[in-house]
Amino acid sequence: MKISINFKVVWDSLSEKSFPLEKDLTVKSCIHSGNAGDIIYSLPTAKELGASHYIINLTSDPAFGGLGGRAITFPMARALAPLLLSQPYIKRVTIVSSNLPLEFLDQPIEGVDFILDRFRLHDPGKHHLAICHALAFGVHLNLYEKWLHVKSTKSDQKYIVLSLTTRYRSLPKEYWSEVLSGLENVVAIGLPQEFDSLAGITADFVTCHDLLEMATLIQGSLLFIGNPGLPYAIAEGLKVPRVVEVFPEYQNAYPIGRSGYTAPPSTLEARNLIDRLIADSPEEVLKHQNSALCQKIAGLEEVVKQKKLYVSTLEGELRERETQIGSLEARLRERELHLSTLEETIRSH
């Protein structure tokens, strides 16, 4: 039985003068109804399939999969379009609305060559999201190399990009505030409602106009720090130096390739890693490592100092107890002498 789905076209890059028109628009197309981060992770597969027309299907399913469900709104899709169109292999982006997920659809859609929603049929809770998309179509990907591109160079201004959301967290709230303490030029990106997750962290808060601007900001940074989410997906695609707080229950977004690290459980190790990644030269690396070593030695010295104080306290208590025992023994001897005198008196009577 065939099912008819009514796709309403909401926006098309062909109607925008700001995007160049291509002479030959007969291209392969793909459609995706996932979150924005899922769409970012689908790009290597879309490129491998030769899909040059990317269709975003607006969908809202709050109950899907827990932790906020699945949703792609028009403002988010519209903000995503410039980043998609900056990829050399994508010639057209169309935003449609059906409010229906498509992974279980077993029939073709007219005008669509690849239904990327089918990545959800390959256990996206256990496999990397980019790998799930590849498994759905049997393509081979090289995820060790950069697969997201923006036209930007390293900025003269040296800064760290930070993105922490309320979802997909595994470390205590105080972890990052301690790790980032004293670091300058930290730029926090995200939505205004996400900035509560950055309480206690000193940073410049930025809300980007669109995701191309966000990607450009990330591309120009010394280091990206964050947890699984849309900004981290962009950082992973750009392969900038990155440290990610991995969520243990859904290990489907983690670093692949060089310059990608998971956040270590120790705050001292994390700070040492960050200092090493943002260092400009081997001398700077040694300086930061020496600084971290000095901090560790200072910490150990403080522990030893506390231990000595504790031992000194115990020795004082021990001497006090010995004095009390000596006093009790003297009183006991006095009582024994008194009893002996009483016994002698009783015998004489």
Side-chain angles (χ1 to χ4, degrees), residues 142-326:
N142 179 10
L143 298 176
Y144 289 87
E145 301 296 331
K146 178 177 179 178
W147 44 262
L148 193 63
H149 302 272
V150 294
K151 294 180 180 180
S152 68
T153 56
K154 287 291 182 182
S155 171
D156 293 335
Q157 183 181 1
K158 298 177 181 180
Y159 59 91
I160 296 171
V161 171
L162 175 67
S163 173
L164 296 174
T165 67
T166 55
R167 299 197 306 165
Y168 307 123
R169 303 299 300 276
S170 60
L171 296 169
K173 184 178 180 181
E174 300 77 17
Y175 177 91
W176 288 114
S177 60
E178 182 179 345
V179 170
L180 298 173
S181 177
L183 281 177
E184 298 179 351
N185 298 327
V186 177
V187 177
I189 60 175
L191 301 174
Q193 59 265 31
E194 294 174 339
F195 290 161
D196 289 340
S197 301
L198 303 172
I201 298 174
T202 302
D204 296 324
F205 298 95
V206 175
T207 301
C208 297
H209 175 68
D210 58 37
L211 299 187
L212 178 57
E213 180 183 340
M214 179 182 290
T216 303
L217 185 67
I218 294 172
Q219 175 69 35
S221 66
L222 292 173
L223 173 67
F224 175 89
I225 298 172
N227 65 308
L230 172 59
Y232 169 64
I234 293 174
E236 183 63 30
L238 293 171
K239 298 300 179 185
V240 297
R242 57 208 181 279
V243 178
V244 60
E245 174 185 336
V246 174
F247 187 62
E249 294 183 25
Y250 291 90
Q251 296 192 22
N252 54 13
Y254 50 83
I256 298 177
R258 296 179 61 185
S259 70
Y261 302 86
T262 57
S266 164
T267 56
L268 183 60
E269 289 179 38
R271 181 54 182 265
N272 188 28
L273 172 62
I274 290 171
D275 288 338
R276 180 163 55 85
L277 290 173
I278 64 176
D280 293 330
S281 64
E283 291 77 12
E284 284 291 311
V285 173
L286 291 174
K287 185 180 75 173
H288 288 301
Q289 288 179 341
N290 181 62
S291 175
L293 182 60
C294 289
Q295 291 179 23
K296 192 168 185 178
I297 291 172
L300 291 173
E301 288 176 344
E302 181 62 25
V303 170
V304 171
K305 181 180 177 182
Q306 294 296 329
K307 293 285 186 182
K308 287 181 177 179
L309 181 61
Y310 179 65
V311 170
S312 178
T313 302
L314 287 178
E315 289 175 344
E317 291 179 355
L318 181 59
R319 286 193 296 270
E320 185 178 347
R321 294 293 175 87
E322 288 175 345
T323 300
Q324 291 175 352
I325 291 172

Side-chain angles (χ1 to χ4, degrees), residues 98-109:
S98 73
N99 205 30
L100 289 173
L102 305 173
E103 57 263 30
F104 296 109
L105 188 67
D106 59 357
Q107 66 184 53
I109 300 174

Side-chain angles (χ1 to χ4, degrees), residues 37-55:
D38 298 335
I39 291 175
I40 296 296
Y41 286 120
S42 76
L43 292 178
T45 294
K47 179 182 179 181
E48 198 67 23
L49 293 171
S52 299
H53 180 195
Y54 204 107
I55 304 169

Side-chain angles (χ1 to χ4, degrees), residues 73-95:
T73 63
F74 176 73
M76 178 57 74
R78 186 63 186 84
L80 183 56
L83 179 57
L84 296 182
L85 288 164
S86 71
Q87 307 312 301
Y89 52 91
I90 294 182
K91 309 302 180 183
R92 179 183 179 186
V93 172
T94 303
I95 301 174

